[in-house]
Amino acid sequence: MDSLIVSENIISDNLTNALQEWENLLGSEYVSTDNKKRLEAETATYETHAKIPAIIRPGNRQEVQESLKIANRYQTPVYPISTGKNWGYGSRVPSRTGSVLMDLSRLNQILDYNETLAYVTIEAGVTQRQLYDFLQKNGNKLLMSVTGSTPDSSIIGNILERGEAKGPLGDRFNHVCGMEVVLPTGECVHTGFNRFENSQIGAVNRWGVGPYFDGIFTQSNLGIVTKMTFWLTPYPEYFQAFFYSIDQENKLELLIDKLRQLKMAGVIKTTFHINNNYRMLSIQQQYPWQECQEKTPLPPDLLEQLSHQWGGGVWIGEGALYSASPEQGKVERKLIEKALKGIVNKLMFFDENKFKMASKMSPIFKVFTGVEIKDKVDLIYHKNPQRGMITEKVLKMAYWRKKTPPTDRLNLDLDACGMIWCVPAVPFLGNHLRNALNIISSIAQKYGYEPNIGINCITERNININAAIFYDRLLEGEDQKALNCHDEMLAELINQGYYPYRLSTHSMNSLPVAQDDYSCLIQKIKDSLDPHHILSPGRYEFL
């Protein structure tokens, strides 16, 4: 351990004793009170104030159990993370000050893989990159639904926030089972059929028999999930990526209603995103400071001028078709073309043949236009996340308002990227979407930010809006202004009935009091499972 001397306002005899026992259990290299490491862990993509007295790194489930028993013995709060890449929602920073950070990144084993039934069992520290590489080495016959976050983010960490991804199983929590959970007291439970000896169905049946507990361990502080089974998708016989755009804002509601019908009918089986022009530009480049003469926000006329980088449009959508044969794919393509005719101004489909043709044409295109399109063509098809491909391309938009370019290995916290997500859930109806978008856009512009918006179509009935506030944390006053913008935006959305589908660490107390006995139920469960309230105090704690 680096030192037992930490700042006086967070040190106590209990903490000193707990640190000594953790060192005996884990080894000195996995218990740290180093000031630099703690300061890095206390840094997020927006202003935070919680202080971390120490960081512990257990290496397996048994060490997690014993670590929690020590925490209970000395009533020392612990805040677990998987890899700490929860950018835009709080990163590694605990909800309240004084919690020891429990880093689970050493629990990084892929424990089971079944190609026939398309599942994998993983530990909490397994990243998207790690699983992607594993699937590539095993023949690339199965694909995972991937997020737009860093490839080095934890899969289980995202699932426990009920995060979303691209692909047929993009509603990730809806496609997992068999959790191993360490309770705050150090006890361990296995959900579903995995609690029985020699179970043959624990990895393929979500519900088990009896009460279903998996959900209470998501967006909660009721347990630490150390492993789970994650379902995968067999690579389709025939894959098509498609892209479309509208050039008039007033066509968005009709587009949304048509897409809902296609998804309800089962034509579009995947989750898919629709991005506005501000989002598309931020993916392509950083803020054009010179053209704007150092002023913000971005003028609409310049936005339109720069839109040629992605082919133009005020809203740009994407999707994919996973078909059993080219014949089936052709029928599905025609159904989409018919449904979107007269609404979209552009609609393009790419299969393997079109990708090869476009790749061959890219050198000729560059000779005549001077524009390099090879990478763009590659991203459209070969490296498309809808095929389970990981990428950091989208994440670079967090550097939108920065004046320095992104580094090779992105670290939004240490690069002082300002980023806060506001993520209301709305019905999959054009009029509801419009109401929520009007709130987001007007408040963003009021504070001088571009309304950078993605529409994430998750199920046949629900849309999650993903609105980003991007800024430079190094500019004086920007942190507070961005937080004020977010809080006003969220408050008005809630006022209109559009509640967030997940919360950032700073907004855990932003929801109104439940109109029923929900809080009482949560209180009873928390008191029972965590009598000393040592696990993640303040996290999704509606008490």
Side-chain angles (χ1 to χ4, degrees):
M1 186 165 52
D2 307 281
S3 172
L4 285 178
I5 302 175
V6 293
S7 56
E8 292 182 2
N9 63 329
I10 53 175
I11 192 68
S12 67
D13 290 340
N14 274 354
L15 177 60
T16 301
N17 293 331
L19 287 169
Q20 189 61 63
E21 289 208 28
W22 281 323
E23 182 179 330
N24 295 339
L25 171 69
L26 306 176
S28 59
E29 66 268 41
Y30 299 121
V31 180
S32 176
T33 57
D34 177 72
N35 286 331
K36 181 180 178 182
K37 291 179 180 178
R38 290 191 296 113
L39 183 60
E40 288 180 357
E42 292 166 359
T43 303
T45 60
Y46 52 79
E47 185 177 38
T48 57
H49 301 284
K51 298 300 180 183
I52 298 170
I55 302 170
I56 62 174
R57 299 181 62 214
N60 54 53
R61 185 255 291 171
Q62 291 77 13
E63 289 184 350
V64 172
Q65 289 180 270
E66 293 304 315
S67 293
L68 286 179
K69 290 177 183 178
I70 292 169
N72 273 283
R73 190 150 54 241
Y74 296 105
Q75 297 190 24
T76 301
V78 170
Y79 189 87
I81 61 168
S82 298
T83 61
K85 302 297 193 300
N86 196 26
W87 289 330
Y89 294 104
S91 303
R92 291 179 284 177
V93 184
S95 301
R96 292 182 186 169
T97 199
S99 294
V100 171
L101 200 66
M102 179 186 284
D103 183 339
L104 301 176
S105 59
R106 292 179 61 213
L107 279 71
N108 59 1
Q109 299 300 306
I110 296 173
L111 302 168
D112 188 22
Y113 173 67
N114 189 305
E115 185 177 294
T116 303
L117 294 175
Y119 69 77
V120 62
T121 302
I122 57 176
E123 290 186 320
V126 172
T127 66
Q128 294 194 114
R129 189 189 304 276
Q130 184 180 350
L131 182 55
Y132 171 80
D133 290 342
F134 176 86
L135 294 174
Q136 292 286 304
K137 290 177 182 177
N138 281 273
N140 197 28
K141 295 180 181 179
L142 300 176
L143 62 90
M144 64 170 167
S145 293
V146 300
T147 73
S149 185
T150 170
D152 298 313
S153 60
S154 161
I155 295 171
I156 287 181
N158 175 262
I159 291 169
L160 295 181
E161 283 290 335
R162 300 202 283 271
E164 56 203 22
K166 290 188 177 183
L169 310 184
D171 185 7
R172 278 177 152 186
F173 178 60
N174 206 30
H175 300 93
V176 300
C177 65
M179 291 183 178
E180 177 183 82
V181 187
V182 178
L183 300 179
T185 55
E187 298 165 284
C188 181
V189 298
H190 295 83
T191 66
F193 283 107
N194 281 349
R195 70 184 190 271
F196 298 114
E197 185 179 1
N198 196 33
S199 171
Q200 301 296 313
I201 50 177
V204 296
N205 184 296
R206 288 191 66 198
W207 313 115
V209 59
Y212 175 74
F213 288 115
D214 299 49
I216 70 170
F217 300 113
T218 68
Q219 293 190 2
S220 80
N221 58 3
L222 301 175
I224 299 176
V225 178
T226 50
K227 73 176 182 181
M228 70 169 58
T229 295
F230 179 57
W231 291 347
L232 305 167
T233 302
Y235 198 82
E237 185 69 26
Y238 182 60
F239 174 83
Q240 297 175 90
F242 64 92
F243 303 86
Y244 50 91
S245 65
I246 57 174
D247 54 9
Q248 297 176 43
E249 186 70 38
N250 60 11
K251 287 188 176 182
L252 179 62
E253 291 95 316
L254 183 56
L255 172 65
I256 291 298
D257 289 337
K258 286 293 184 181
L259 290 171
R260 184 193 67 251
Q261 293 168 15
L262 288 168
K263 197 156 176 57
M264 278 278 190
V267 178
I268 301 177
K269 301 177 181 67
T270 181
T271 60
F272 57 92
H273 294 183
I274 307 170
N275 295 327
N276 73 351
N277 42 13
Y278 289 106
R279 171 69 54 89
M280 293 299 295
L281 182 60
S282 67
I283 293 172
Q284 302 293 327
Q285 66 169 73
Q286 290 178 269
Y287 192 87
W289 292 103
Q290 186 174 352
E291 294 94 323
C292 293
Q293 299 179 336
E294 301 294 311
K295 297 179 180 179
T296 57
L298 184 71
D301 57 340
L302 183 56
L303 172 64
E304 185 176 356
Q305 179 184 330
L306 295 171
S307 68
H308 70 276
Q309 296 184 55
W310 65 84
V314 294
W315 290 95
I316 300 86
E318 54 84 37
L321 295 174
Y322 306 79
S323 308
S325 67
E327 292 76 18
Q328 178 186 344
K330 183 178 180 180
V331 172
E332 292 169 333
R333 182 170 67 243
K334 287 187 176 298
L335 289 171
I336 293 173
E337 290 172 339
K338 180 180 179 181
L340 300 186
K341 185 177 181 180
I343 302 174
V344 300
N345 60 301
K346 291 180 181 178
L347 177 60
M348 299 176 289
F349 288 81
F350 281 84
D351 59 9
E352 185 73 30
N353 290 331
K354 283 191 176 181
F355 165 69
K356 291 178 179 178
M357 185 183 304
S359 298
K360 290 179 180 179
M361 293 295 294
S362 61
I364 301 173
F365 189 85
K366 184 176 181 180
V367 169
F368 284 97
T369 67
V371 178
E372 176 61 75
I373 64 169
K374 184 179 184 305
D375 290 343
K376 294 181 180 180
V377 171
D378 217 27
L379 187 61
I380 284 173
Y381 186 81
H382 181 62
K383 295 182 179 179
N384 193 320
Q386 291 282 8
R387 297 182 62 188
M389 309 299 286
I390 55 175
T391 178
E392 288 188 321
K393 172 71 174 177
V394 175
L395 194 59
K396 291 182 178 180
M397 66 183 177
Y399 293 78
W400 167 245
R401 285 278 186 98
K402 298 290 292 183
K403 293 188 177 180
T404 53
T407 55
D408 290 338
R409 183 54 66 95
L410 304 182
N411 190 321
L412 276 55
D413 296 328
L414 299 187
D415 291 344
C417 294
M419 181 172 75
I420 310 175
W421 297 118
C422 185
V423 288
V426 302
F428 206 140
L429 295 167
N431 61 327
H432 278 286
L433 178 65
R434 174 58 63 196
N435 290 342
L437 290 178
N438 286 343
I439 293 169
I440 292 168
S441 296
S442 63
I443 293 176
Q445 291 167 347
K446 170 185 173 181
Y447 283 87
Y449 299 113
E450 295 80 22
N452 190 305
I453 300 170
I455 300 170
N456 302 338
C457 302
I458 306 302
T459 71
E460 299 85 353
R461 299 168 180 84
N462 174 68
I463 285 174
N464 292 337
I465 300 175
N466 192 299
I469 300 169
F470 292 135
Y471 64 101
D472 186 348
R473 291 205 63 204
L474 298 180
L475 296 180
E476 186 177 356
E478 279 293 303
D479 265 331
Q480 191 58 55
K481 186 175 78 167
L483 287 171
N484 291 344
C485 177
H486 170 275
D487 293 349
E488 183 175 338
M489 192 181 290
L490 183 59
E492 184 55 29
L493 286 163
I494 290 174
N495 185 53
Q496 295 297 318
Y498 305 122
Y499 290 83
Y501 85 94
R502 62 190 286 191
L503 295 169
S504 59
T505 51
H506 97 282
S507 60
M508 291 293 169
N509 297 318
S510 62
L511 301 184
V513 177
Q515 61 183 355
D516 58 10
D517 295 320
Y518 179 93
S519 297
C520 294
L521 175 61
I522 293 295
Q523 179 80 64
K524 292 176 182 178
I525 296 174
K526 180 66 174 176
D527 290 344
S528 176
L529 297 183
D530 189 4
H532 294 124
H533 286 226
I534 57 95
L535 187 61
S536 302
R539 173 178 162 77
Y540 289 102
E541 198 167 67
F542 311 123
L543 306 180

